Amino acid sequence: SYELTQPPSVSVSPGQTARITCSGDALPKKYAYWYQQKSGQAPVLVIFEDSKRPSGIPERFSGSSSGTMATLTISGAQVEDEADYYCYSTDSSGSHWVFGGGTKLTVL
Amino acid sequence: QLQLQESGPGLVKPSETLSLTCTVSGGSISGSNYYWGWIRQPPGKGLEWIGSIYYSGSTYYNPSLKSRVTISVDTSKNQFSLKLSSVTAADTAVYYCARGARGPERAFDIWGPGTMVSVSS
């Protein structure tokens, strides 16, 4: 079955840039999406279609995709950005939805 | 504003069937180009897509769960439902329902708060 691969953890100091990667064989043809999940809460969509930001998401969140890798970038990470981040996409057929394994972002 | 709410038993016995319902309020479940999905998260673990349904009834399931999952929609009640058969302790998780609306990949943009389901005798 199709998989999206993320690093288990990323750690940065406040004000630094955090980058979280997501790799998948279908990403050259499928968009990547990113979710933020804080403890005890439902996930929130922070990036859609590789690089677009839903309304209400701070400008410090951005996304990009090249080849088989998508990247979520948080420029000037804040303490409140500490959360689990999941990438999401579909397989090449478009009929199976997939989440990456998740990356725990620590900001301290 | 569209809202989703999961409901169902919080405790299910092993080998039995887990049944959950998602009630959609603030908008119609039918007549829109949206998918409606179920996602789960075992304690301390990541998100797992279970399956999705189009309002017309077309369904898509995670291959790893397909033999045990049934998702259905009741447009008259503005609800969609999940049934997971032959459950084991590995099915203990927070179960979320969500709307799949963003982009060609139908990313989930509105989620319910989630409901914890434990499998135990």
Side-chain angles (χ1 to χ4, degrees), chain B residues 36-75:
Chain B
W36 305 91
W38 289 95
I39 303 99
R40 70 180 182 178
Q41 185 171 36
K45 297 188 177 181
L47 301 169
E48 180 180 33
W49 171 70
I50 299 170
S52 297
I53 189 166
Y54 195 50
Y55 78 95
S56 63
S58 299
T59 51
Y60 304 85
Y61 298 134
N62 186 323
S64 68
L65 299 170
K66 186 175 182 178
S67 64
R68 299 194 291 131
V69 173
T70 302
I71 296 176
S72 59
V73 63
D74 187 337
T75 55

Side-chain angles (χ1 to χ4, degrees), chain A residues 11-28:
Chain A
S11 182
V12 297
S13 300
Q16 289 188 328
T17 296
R19 293 182 178 86
I20 299 172
T21 58
C22 172
S23 64
D25 290 342
L27 290 180

